[in-house]
Amino acid sequence: MLYIEIHRLYKEGFSKSAIARKLNISRNRVIDYLNMSTDEFEEFLSTLRTREKKLDPYHDQILGWLKEHPDLTAAQVYDWLEEKLGFREVAENTVRNYLNEMRDYYRIPKVKVQRTYSVVPELPMGKQAQVDFGQTTVKNRQGENKKLYFIAFVLSHSRYKYVEWLDRPFRTSDMIRMHENAFEYFGGMPEEMVYDQDALLAVSENAGDLIL
């Protein structure tokens, strides 16, 4: 059990940060568990089993995502709930706590996927552009967290860049418009486009003939 493992490592002299790294959990979670007595932890577990949560109707769906993608983050699940299921009634922090509870209960540790990099040979002008997607969270004027999404185009030869931002997830019409804007900005269209996260563009496998 995670609670017992945290207390065992702490008694052996490991710092809270070291325990968090070893167990692939947050440091705050380590602190919370260390501050609980055995009786308090049992009571905490009991409330988890009996307390009804807003995300409970989506439990099986989230569990399926988690089993298929053990490296899923709370931010990704939060986005998928909104994009795939149209559910937007909880904060990202609520999703994070729910995900942590599921990992504990079903013993699904978070797996860190190491990205592989390789040197790309120098390409001639006009040959290729790379496209990447990302997101970040900023504070709005009211001091509230706001998630922003961006798409970045980089010419492989000159490293010339074009970026656009949105305050919501991209739609197909956005993608088309942003590509056209990038080509207009660059003054032409490269021979080929390389997508860092092409899964974001595939809407149907279509029996092997991908529809993008």
Side-chain angles (χ1 to χ4, degrees):
M1 184 187 294
L2 188 61
Y3 173 83
I4 295 174
E5 187 67 8
I6 289 173
H7 278 264
R8 183 184 68 80
L9 290 171
Y10 190 67
K11 287 177 182 177
E12 290 180 359
F14 287 93
S15 69
K16 295 166 186 174
S17 297
I19 294 172
R21 287 193 298 270
K22 287 177 71 69
L23 300 179
N24 283 326
I25 58 177
S26 70
R27 186 174 181 274
N28 286 340
R29 200 149 152 229
V30 172
I31 294 172
D32 288 342
Y33 280 17
L34 286 174
N35 288 336
M36 290 184 194
S37 67
T38 305
D39 290 340
E40 287 171 337
F41 182 71
E42 288 295 332
E43 184 178 345
F44 169 69
L45 286 181
S46 178
T47 61
L48 292 182
R49 298 187 193 103
T50 58
R51 189 178 65 215
E52 186 174 345
K53 307 180 187 67
K54 286 186 177 181
L55 288 171
D56 282 347
Y58 306 97
H59 175 277
D60 292 345
Q61 180 70 67
I62 296 173
L63 180 60
W65 291 340
L66 202 55
K67 287 182 175 178
E68 184 177 359
H69 309 285
D71 59 324
L72 263 184
T73 65
Q76 287 171 302
V77 173
Y78 178 81
D79 287 343
W80 284 5
L81 285 168
E82 182 175 349
E83 295 166 15
K84 300 175 184 290
L85 305 178
F87 182 75
R88 48 181 72 88
E89 297 177 16
V90 295
E92 186 175 322
N93 190 53
T94 301
V95 176
R96 181 176 296 106
N97 292 335
Y98 195 81
L99 212 59
N100 287 338
E101 292 171 8
M102 291 185 74
R103 288 188 185 280
D104 278 353
Y105 188 81
Y106 294 102
R107 302 194 178 190
I108 305 175
K110 186 171 183 179
V111 177
K112 292 185 179 180
V113 177
Q114 298 293 331
R115 297 182 66 177
T116 56
Y117 300 87
S118 59
V119 177
V120 177
E122 186 168 339
L123 298 170
M125 291 184 289
K127 176 64 178 177
Q128 184 188 93
Q130 301 172 38
V131 186
D132 200 0
F133 305 84
Q135 60 188 40
T136 187
T137 301
V138 299
K139 296 285 186 182
N140 62 17
R141 291 179 179 177
Q142 290 73 41
E144 302 167 334
N145 286 336
K146 178 65 178 177
K147 185 168 288 187
L148 298 178
Y149 303 82
F150 69 84
I151 182 171
F153 300 81
V154 184
L155 294 180
S156 299
H157 178 84
S158 65
R159 310 308 295 171
Y160 206 47
K161 300 175 179 64
Y162 177 81
V163 181
E164 279 201 39
W165 296 81
L166 271 183
D167 60 356
R168 55 168 172 76
F170 296 131
R171 303 188 181 109
T172 301
S173 57
D174 299 321
M175 295 290 297
I176 295 172
R177 174 179 54 80
M178 291 171 173
H179 277 69
E180 291 175 342
N181 290 346
F183 298 150
E184 182 177 356
Y185 179 77
F186 291 141
M189 185 171 66
E191 290 182 26
E192 61 184 30
M193 306 290 290
V194 176
Y195 296 91
D196 184 49
Q197 301 179 47
D198 55 358
L200 294 176
L201 300 177
V203 297
S204 173
E205 293 189 5
N206 197 30
D209 183 15
L210 292 181
I211 298 175
L212 304 178

